[in-house]
Amino acid sequence: MKSERRQSLNAGVIALAMLMSAVAPLAQVVGPAPSPRIERLEQWLQGVERHRPGEVDDDLTEISEWSADSLRLIWVDITSLVSLVREPDVSVFYISDPMSPNRSRERLAPPGSPGSPLPVPFGRSKPVVYGVAELRRLKALARALVTSGGAGVENRVLKRGAMLHADIAMWVPVAARRKGASGADGIQGATLYMKDGQPVRFEEEVSHYEMGRRLLDRVRAEGRTLPNTVVADPRGDVTVCRWYLATGAHMQGTMWLDVRHMDRALELCSEDPDVQFFAGALHETLAGVRRQVAVRNARLPRDVTLNVQSASAELRRAEGLYRRALEINPKMSEARIRLGRVLGQRGRHEEAATELRKAGSEVTESVLQYYAALFLGAEADALGNEVEARASYERAAGLYPEAQSPLLGLSRLAMQSGNRDAARDAIQRMLKLSSDGDEAADPWWSYESIPARNTEMLLAKLHQTF
């Protein structure tokens, strides 16, 4: 499910205007008349220049309608253009598509909605062939970029291009985008839409997040010294990591679950605790009953495999990611709360209770205090500590008086101890609630998406880099 709201961005307009004026000469490049292929590339470049991050403008809308084949050709030609900027005398070009275990995006969504310098597996390199006029035009574009933008101008184009395609993925409704992706290697995607644990439909579509990832794979991280100045290496680049963090948060908030997106974020931003945290939240979500049932019941094409493992495997992956986040930033109490819940689901109740007690003493945000108390109640119950369990559930109920979950916990606790009156009282308290299970009244219902509550702030921080 995609959000259709628009974001306006006033901050950084001056910096954006400076960048646009720096590369504006692209429109006045002299030379042979471009072929339709190079003409489309120039159209994309100009759209990237004009687009204001966070807004749905005409360029965004137009490019959102391009086919997967068109976008793959853009990616091929941008790769060639970047090579010419970094090594003007190059005359032979090759391209390698990132390899995938299947032909489609491994993604779930609600309805409607290290070793080498570049640590990602690629397929066999293929030559890229240009006509004489096309190559001259590409070289003219490269010279214009270098003349107008200076050192690193190709990085700015790649990053702004990735921002444009992320904005398409985030803000242009799925129904308004190009459908029926054809054979473009990897730029097309496939999404399994689900509702309440049941698969609804399976659709193939253009993958703008994949386009953004491919563009960022050509970036050379600022300040990184490489033996070969033409080699791309985006690892640790500030803008690249902010892009992955903001888009990953948006995905979590809209339940657009894309494992490969966060896997690439982990490869490029391995020391970012927030990236580790959001990857953990993704895998914890995939371990949930609704996603597991939807995957089991989905009827997919024979050559498509969803990148979703068993609940136990997903929980194990989530645990490792939360632990890594805490290794990098021991003060990340939200990761500790979620680690506690995951440990409890894995049957390690003593460890879970220890993490939850520690987190509960650290957090100040009411929603996090609620989760810590609610989950500690369940873990104390599993350990036979009725006094602590009851106190934890009551603490959670005090934080959110209209929440049903702590009252259900209290009722179950009373029934287990044979106190039917107390169990009935807790249920009666719940029946008197005016919220009727309202998501805002009980944060448990938004537990999967709550990590994304600061998405707007992360996007604003990303936009500032431009």
Side-chain angles (χ1 to χ4, degrees), residues 95 105 186 314 337 368 428 432:
I95 199 72
R105 296 298 323 115
E314 294 292 352
I337 291 171
L368 299 184
Q428 288 177 344
K432 292 177 181 179

Side-chain angles (χ1 to χ4, degrees), residues 19-184:
L19 174 60
M20 290 181 65
S21 63
V23 293
L26 283 174
Q28 288 84 40
V29 169
V30 295
S35 67
R37 173 176 178 174
I38 304 303
E39 202 168 44
R40 175 63 65 89
L41 171 64
E42 292 184 354
Q43 185 180 356
W44 182 88
L45 287 167
Q46 291 168 15
V48 167
E49 295 167 18
R50 289 189 294 256
H51 176 62
R52 293 176 59 181
E55 292 192 356
V56 179
D57 49 36
D58 291 341
D59 291 296
L60 196 79
T61 301
E62 182 174 357
I63 293 174
S64 73
E65 298 173 355
W66 291 3
S67 69
D69 291 313
S70 296
L71 289 181
R72 185 182 183 279
L73 203 55
I74 291 291
W75 169 67
V76 169
D77 294 338
I78 282 293
T79 300
S80 300
L81 183 62
V82 168
S83 296
L84 284 167
V85 169
R86 293 173 179 168
E87 194 175 23
D89 294 332
V90 68
S91 57
V92 179
F93 305 91
Y94 290 89
I95 199 72
S96 300
D97 284 281
M99 293 179 67
S100 172
N102 53 49
R103 66 180 174 86
S104 307
R105 296 298 323 115
E106 302 93 344
R107 185 167 58 220
L108 294 176
S113 86
S116 61
L118 187 59
V120 64
F122 282 86
R124 181 178 299 177
S125 294
K126 304 173 186 177
V128 181
V129 180
Y130 294 105
V132 173
E134 289 177 330
L135 184 56
R136 287 176 181 170
R137 189 72 176 184
L138 273 176
K139 290 186 174 183
L141 287 169
R143 288 193 298 270
L145 276 173
V146 173
T147 300
S148 61
V153 65
E154 81 284 6
N155 275 348
R156 294 198 292 273
V157 171
L158 291 167
K159 292 173 181 179
R160 288 185 59 81
M163 189 70 253
L164 178 144
H165 285 283
D167 280 340
I168 292 175
M170 289 187 289
W171 310 126
V172 177
V174 174
R177 292 187 237 145
R178 184 65 174 259
K179 291 291 190 302
S182 61

